[in-house]
Amino acid sequence: MASAPNINDVLRYSTENLQGSARFQAMGGAFGALGGDLSALNINPAGSAIFNNNLFTFSGTVYHNDNSASYFGTNSNITLTDIDINQAGGVLVFKSANAKAVWNKIAIAGNYDIVQNFDNQILINGNSNQGIDNYFLNFAGG
């Protein structure tokens, strides 16, 4: 049985999971206001000015899906486990040696975050005693 998109699909594709570095996730994204974390750059790019030293980070994650289906009494199951890098980034901090300089510090930063992961599979198999001929026969008036 197939179905059209519904309100659940709107929520599935329009919301974001909290992704990023472990520190950013542990603080519930609060570093967006504070700065000083590479994952916060997606929320507040000016937060890169908080860094005092060069920094390069990456964070890994494990996605695990266990999907089961039933088709005319035949049960099937598929388990997916995927290891991925969900955050990678770096910041370069250039400090001026001259204390009277107009610019004391410049920070150049870049970051990559996965916002949502839609990698998933489902396996449905089985045998049916209903053929497609009956489907068309019902619409043909018998």
Side-chain angles (χ1 to χ4, degrees):
M1 182 171 93
S3 63
N6 57 33
I7 191 68
N8 295 328
D9 294 323
V10 171
L11 291 173
R12 179 182 302 123
Y13 298 121
S14 64
T15 58
E16 297 179 0
N17 288 335
L18 184 63
Q19 300 283 340
S21 67
R23 179 180 180 210
F24 183 80
Q25 289 182 24
M27 291 296 292
F31 285 101
L34 300 173
D37 190 276
L38 285 171
S39 294
L41 295 178
N42 296 341
I43 297 170
N44 180 12
S48 64
I50 302 297
F51 289 96
N52 288 324
N53 300 309
N54 299 334
L55 178 71
F56 296 95
T57 66
F58 68 93
S59 298
T61 188
V62 176
Y63 297 104
H64 180 78
N65 293 327
D66 190 13
N67 298 322
S68 58
S70 177
Y71 180 75
F72 286 98
T74 303
N75 297 323
S76 59
N77 188 14
I78 188 166
T79 302
L80 299 169
T81 302
D82 185 27
I83 299 173
D84 201 359
I85 294 176
N86 70 328
Q87 181 274 332
V91 62
L92 294 172
V93 179
F94 301 98
K95 296 179 184 178
S96 174
N98 184 0
K100 295 181 181 181
V102 177
W103 295 88
N104 291 332
K105 178 173 66 171
I106 295 175
I108 300 172
N111 190 50
Y112 162 81
D113 277 331
I114 291 179
V115 175
Q116 188 72 276
N117 184 351
F118 296 110
D119 292 343
N120 205 351
Q121 292 180 7
I122 189 165
L123 172 67
I124 302 173
N125 59 13
N127 294 318
S128 167
N129 57 1
Q130 299 174 1
I132 195 168
D133 57 339
N134 290 332
Y135 174 81
F136 289 111
L137 191 60
N138 289 335
F139 284 106

